[in-house]
Amino acid sequence: MSSYAGVMESLMNSAEEQQPSSPLANSRSNKQESSESQKPNGVCGFVLVHAGAGYHSESKAKEYKHVCKRACQRVCSLYGCYLQTNNVTFYCLFTQCDSPFTNAGMGSNLNLSGEIECDASIMDGKSLHYGAVGAIRGIKNPVLVANRLLSEAQKGKLSAGRIPPCFLVGRGAHDWAVSHGIPPCPSEKMATKFSLSAYKRNKRKMELAEKMDSGHNQTKKRRQSSENENGSGCLDTVGAVVVDLEGNVAAAVSSGGLAMKHAGRVGQAAHYGCGCWAENARNMNPYSTAVSTSGSPFLASEDRVLGGVIVLRCCRCVENQPSQNIQGILVEFLWSHTTESMCVGYMSAQDSKAKTHISRLPPGTVPGQSLAIEGGVCRLMSVVE
Amino acid sequence: MSSYAGVMESLMNSAEEQQPSSPLANSRSNKQESSESQKPNGVCGFVLVHAGAGYHSESKAKEYKHVCKRACQRVCSLYGCYLQTNNVTFYCLFTQCDSPFTNAGMGSNLNLSGEIECDASIMDGKSLHYGAVGAIRGIKNPVLVANRLLSEAQKGKLSAGRIPPCFLVGRGAHDWAVSHGIPPCPSEKMATKFSLSAYKRNKRKMELAEKMDSGHNQTKKRRQSSENENGSGCLDTVGAVVVDLEGNVAAAVSSGGLAMKHAGRVGQAAHYGCGCWAENARNMNPYSTAVSTSGSPFLASEDRVLGGVIVLRCCRCVENQPSQNIQGILVEFLWSHTTESMCVGYMSAQDSKAKTHISRLPPGTVPGQSLAIEGGVCRLMSVVE
């Protein structure tokens, strides 16, 4: 089962207008904006975000879509400020993580010990630099740390020729973040009502399953008990891909990981080359590509793979008009998932509002054995002086 | 600069004969061997190990080579026991980690806080399963945990359909290991005289560099100060690739990571697809491939990439002889490095002793700007009934 729509409008749900909100109150980012704001180009050529591949209930559809719309529109409200593409993806995820409806940052799934440990990564297509954190506790927005790791690494080596870290985990990641001015967040503020009640539900389910297992052949039982993970809401990772008017791409992803995972487990959101990828056009390759995933090959079982992906691919196209040179970038984008649903939002610099959509497998198809794929194209124009 | 030797003998240093030592005293592995020893095939068709790409001084050449030889011969002394290929790589690394001359497990580089935190990963080419630990403290042989994660994952899902972890970090990894019967090792026993004195030397060097930096433009200085990391012995990761008589491959790598790294830093040895890779021949691809690295793209700077790799590629070839069917596997193997030197060892099931070699860039060439590549071929034979 697959469907592809060249023209997106028919697929989209109506998106209510929303006032663009003010830039995030983040001292470091504000500083960066003001120092770089002389540059004329707004960065957000086109942005595509996802709020996970999993199961998005009809009753919460509005909230999921709102998260995506808000992320796109916040970014586009910064139009006029010159931001690096990786900072745009960071802004998206920052916004998404703040929602209690996403499994990222605050409100993430709790692990086996009842703690929240998050993964996040970000990649810059121009430098190919990558920053990531894994199993980090007590930081409200893990993508903030991943982005800071990336930007610190771009400054070059540390004293005595030491190579700066690009991937930090656990306590070390937390301490690095705090020493770089990122405020810690007490554990009790990381969990939400929603994540705590899901934890209690999962814990009961687990204890029941283990009670049923005892006395049987454990190994055989373990293979058979493949319940639907979607029910526990364990796949609603968030992610973003972006391209600016110069064709630079970036990608990011942030996740609280699987519900009831073992403490210290790092999921694909932090893995290099797994959670996200961004690569500018260069040499023999005329396309810039950015990808952000939810779920992963690690979730593959004997009979199915659960996950989703958003992809953006673009190339330059130059057109001559009588009065001026218009430089265009042709953007192709898509989302694809094998889970029951996937929530996405997107917006170009030319749009006044973001479009959002919950893609669903057709009724009767089996998650993990069917695939939905949808997408669209967009042309970005800028004047070349 | 590159050289390739189709016939290896000319390249090899003489390897002193050594009595094969008894199998490792590991209760779990012993159990596995005995339960699987009815199967007729010895697994170790061919094994290739490395003791890092970095700088191997002439004065310690004998020790480095001994580490590699011992790893190969221990494995081949198990000939007759049927082990999975991933267990063979595990045995190699287990042996290598025990040496104070390698930056893996006990005796690893100390981090900025004076602690030892290790990375290790292992991949099975048949199942494509992968197990890894990052920034793990207080475990003498981190590859033991990585291998156990891989074998636990191969048993299938946990209770209530939970997906078993394949990558654990920090405290969570340590606790998982201990709860699976892997004994903890006190911090003070992890460090050796050698690693402690290197730490003190590096600390002094760092403090001196920071003193010189203060008062100057930090960012510019940071970019310029690119000292030779080799001097601090920070690249002597260990790794192994192996193929059995049925053409199954596996790969593993273990590293203490960079000297003076930030606590919580995870290096390429634990990254999926970066530290090692193993993939059996399947469908359209007639080749099985296994790779283990030392150093990585993360060590790339503006003008150079420091690292090394061992690669094994093999395919089946069936020959008919009058009296019997001989099934052969043709193995191509190579090592390549941009560092000053790389230490390797290899052995096939048909050999009575392992061969070891320290490959060096030719005098006058610049590490990071030159490349050494050497390798060989080997044919494995077995009778098909």
Side-chain angles (χ1 to χ4, degrees):
Chain A
M1 189 285 304
S2 82
S3 65
Y4 186 92
V7 181
M8 285 305 304
E9 275 60 37
S10 61
L11 281 165
M12 296 300 104
N13 297 21
S14 69
E16 311 98 302
E17 191 93 21
Q18 195 208 340
Q19 287 304 314
S21 40
S22 61
L24 298 173
N26 179 292
S27 61
R28 190 175 155 277
S29 309
N30 283 341
K31 194 179 147 209
Q32 208 165 49
E33 281 153 37
S34 63
S35 69
E36 293 185 316
S37 62
Q38 290 103 347
K39 300 187 188 178
N41 285 336
V43 72
C44 178
F46 179 84
V47 60
L48 169 62
V49 303
H50 72 79
Y55 173 69
H56 301 83
S57 69
E58 290 289 359
S59 63
K60 290 199 199 103
K62 207 173 161 183
E63 280 89 348
Y64 287 121
K65 285 198 236 175
H66 181 70
V67 167
C68 290
K69 190 170 64 179
R70 199 169 146 81
C72 293
Q73 294 189 168
R74 270 208 169 174
V75 165
C76 289
S77 74
L78 298 173
Y79 190 79
C81 305
Y82 189 89
L83 291 175
Q84 289 179 306
T85 45
N86 64 289
N87 280 323
V88 177
T89 53
F90 149 69
Y91 268 72
C92 287
L93 268 63
F94 193 96
T95 308
Q96 290 172 295
C97 287
D98 274 349
S99 165
F101 296 101
T102 62
N103 174 26
M106 205 187 66
S108 288
N109 290 325
L110 275 68
N111 69 12
L112 211 50
S113 336
E115 295 276 349
I116 287 181
E117 291 188 334
C118 297
D119 303 327
S121 63
I122 194 161
M123 187 165 175
D124 173 43
K126 192 174 182 180
S127 64
L128 300 179
H129 274 114
Y130 148 87
V133 288
I136 190 171
R137 291 188 187 187
I139 297 288
K140 207 176 149 201
N141 281 283
V143 70
L144 218 151
V145 192
N147 196 45
R148 187 64 183 269
L149 278 164
L150 188 150
S151 57
E152 286 297 314
Q154 285 176 328
K155 292 180 188 167
K157 293 198 175 175
L158 305 174
S159 64
R162 285 173 306 132
I163 293 162
C166 66
F167 182 25
L168 288 177
V169 298
R171 184 79 210 173
H174 177 274
D175 293 349
W176 187 93
V178 173
S179 74
H180 283 76
I182 296 166
C185 176
S187 293
E188 59 277 16
K189 286 194 181 170
M190 291 291 292
T192 58
K193 252 187 198 177
F194 184 72
S195 65
L196 280 169
S197 70
Y199 174 71
K200 282 176 198 155
R201 210 166 49 241
N202 285 324
K203 188 113 183 159
R204 271 198 304 273
K205 207 158 80 177
M206 222 181 93
E207 283 162 0
L208 193 69
E210 277 165 9
K211 219 175 269 174
M212 284 171 68
D213 273 3
S214 64
H216 298 267
N217 181 324
Q218 282 270 354
T219 313
K220 276 199 176 171
K221 264 287 162 203
R222 275 169 62 176
R223 283 189 185 278
Q224 284 156 10
S225 63
S226 61
E227 293 185 23
N228 191 342
E229 294 82 10
N230 297 342
S232 58
C234 62
L235 288 176
D236 37 356
T237 299
V238 298
V241 290
V242 69
V243 56
D244 69 12
L245 294 175
E246 292 172 0
N248 299 307
V249 291
V253 64
S254 179
S255 177
L258 296 173
M260 311 305 282
K261 65 184 178 184
H262 195 281
R265 181 190 186 269
V266 175
Q268 92 285 352
H271 274 77
Y272 177 70
C274 298
C276 67
W277 190 262
E279 197 173 347
N280 274 12
R282 65 186 68 204
N283 302 335
M284 302 296 285
N285 180 10
Y287 296 103
S288 296
T289 309
V291 179
S292 178
T293 71
S294 172
S296 81
F298 295 126
L299 298 183
S301 61
E302 294 81 32
D303 56 349
R304 56 190 193 145
V305 177
L306 285 169
V309 66
I310 53 174
V311 183
L312 177 158
R313 194 174 81 145
C314 64
C315 65
R316 282 169 185 273
C317 44
V318 181
E319 292 170 58
N320 288 314
Q321 289 196 349
S323 61
Q324 56 188 182
N325 276 328
I326 303 284
Q327 185 178 278
I329 293 176
L330 189 71
V331 183
E332 299 171 298
F333 56 98
L334 68 82
W335 48 90
S336 178
H337 58 98
T338 59
T339 53
E340 288 193 41
S341 58
M342 184 168 194
C343 184
V344 296
Y346 60 94
M347 188 172 185
S348 89
Q350 292 136 5
D351 297 335
S352 62
K353 56 184 181 182
K355 284 169 180 157
T356 58
H357 176 55
I358 295 184
S359 166
R360 294 186 189 280
L361 292 184
T365 53
V366 179
Q369 293 176 352
S370 303
L371 176 82
I373 177 166
E374 300 172 344
V377 290
C378 162
R379 186 178 290 229
L380 304 171
M381 296 296 191
S382 62
V383 179
V384 180
E385 280 153 27
Chain B
M1 191 286 304
S2 82
S3 67
Y4 186 91
V7 180
M8 286 306 304
E9 275 59 38
S10 61
L11 280 166
M12 296 301 105
N13 297 20
S14 69
E16 311 98 305
E17 191 92 23
Q18 195 207 342
Q19 286 305 313
S21 40
S22 61
L24 299 172
N26 179 292
S27 61
R28 190 174 156 276
S29 307
N30 283 342
K31 194 178 146 211
Q32 206 165 49
E33 281 153 38
S34 62
S35 69
E36 293 186 317
S37 62
Q38 290 103 345
K39 300 186 188 178
N41 284 336
V43 72
C44 179
F46 179 83
V47 60
L48 169 63
V49 303
H50 72 79
Y55 173 69
H56 301 82
S57 68
E58 290 289 359
S59 64
K60 290 199 198 104
K62 206 173 161 184
E63 279 90 349
Y64 287 120
K65 285 197 240 176
H66 181 69
V67 167
C68 290
K69 191 171 62 179
R70 198 168 146 81
C72 294
Q73 293 189 169
R74 270 208 168 174
V75 164
C76 289
S77 75
L78 299 173
Y79 189 81
C81 305
Y82 189 89
L83 290 175
Q84 289 179 305
T85 45
N86 64 289
N87 280 324
V88 177
T89 54
F90 149 70
Y91 268 73
C92 287
L93 267 65
F94 193 96
T95 308
Q96 290 171 295
C97 287
D98 273 349
S99 165
F101 295 102
T102 62
N103 175 27
M106 204 187 66
S108 289
N109 290 324
L110 274 67
N111 70 11
L112 211 51
S113 334
E115 294 277 351
I116 287 180
E117 290 188 336
C118 295
D119 303 326
S121 64
I122 194 161
M123 187 164 173
D124 173 43
K126 191 174 182 181
S127 65
L128 299 179
H129 274 115
Y130 148 86
V133 288
I136 190 171
R137 293 187 185 186
I139 297 288
K140 207 176 149 202
N141 282 284
V143 70
L144 217 152
V145 192
N147 195 46
R148 186 66 183 268
L149 277 164
L150 188 149
S151 57
E152 285 298 313
Q154 285 176 330
K155 292 181 189 167
K157 293 199 174 175
L158 306 174
S159 64
R162 287 174 303 133
I163 295 161
C166 66
F167 182 26
L168 288 177
V169 298
R171 185 78 211 173
H174 176 274
D175 293 349
W176 188 92
V178 173
S179 74
H180 283 76
I182 295 167
C185 175
S187 293
E188 59 276 16
K189 285 193 181 170
M190 290 292 292
T192 58
K193 251 189 199 175
F194 184 71
S195 66
L196 279 169
S197 69
Y199 174 70
K200 283 177 195 153
R201 210 165 50 243
N202 284 324
K203 189 113 183 160
R204 271 199 304 274
K205 208 158 80 178
M206 222 182 93
E207 284 161 358
L208 194 68
E210 277 165 10
K211 218 176 270 175
M212 283 171 69
D213 274 4
S214 64
H216 298 266
N217 181 322
Q218 282 270 355
T219 313
K220 276 198 175 172
K221 264 287 164 204
R222 276 170 61 178
R223 284 190 182 278
Q224 283 157 11
S225 63
S226 60
E227 294 184 22
N228 191 340
E229 293 81 10
N230 297 343
S232 58
C234 62
L235 290 174
D236 37 355
T237 298
V238 298
V241 289
V242 70
V243 56
D244 69 13
L245 294 176
E246 292 172 1
N248 299 306
V249 292
V253 63
S254 179
S255 176
L258 296 172
M260 312 305 282
K261 67 183 177 183
H262 195 281
R265 180 190 186 271
V266 175
Q268 91 286 352
H271 273 78
Y272 177 69
C274 298
C276 67
W277 191 262
E279 198 175 345
N280 273 13
R282 65 186 69 203
N283 301 335
M284 302 295 286
N285 180 11
Y287 296 102
S288 295
T289 309
V291 179
S292 179
T293 70
S294 172
S296 80
F298 297 125
L299 298 183
S301 60
E302 294 80 31
D303 56 349
R304 56 190 192 143
V305 176
L306 285 170
V309 65
I310 53 174
V311 183
L312 175 157
R313 195 173 80 145
C314 64
C315 66
R316 282 170 185 273
C317 44
V318 181
E319 291 169 59
N320 287 313
Q321 289 196 351
S323 61
Q324 57 187 181
N325 276 328
I326 303 285
Q327 184 177 277
I329 293 176
L330 189 70
V331 183
E332 300 171 298
F333 56 97
L334 67 83
W335 47 91
S336 177
H337 58 98
T338 59
T339 52
E340 287 192 39
S341 57
M342 183 167 194
C343 183
V344 295
Y346 59 94
M347 187 171 184
S348 89
Q350 291 135 6
D351 297 335
S352 62
K353 57 185 180 182
K355 284 168 181 159
T356 58
H357 176 55
I358 296 185
S359 166
R360 296 186 188 279
L361 292 183
T365 53
V366 180
Q369 293 175 353
S370 302
L371 176 81
I373 177 166
E374 299 173 345
V377 290
C378 162
R379 186 179 289 232
L380 304 171
M381 296 296 192
S382 61
V383 179
V384 180
E385 281 151 28

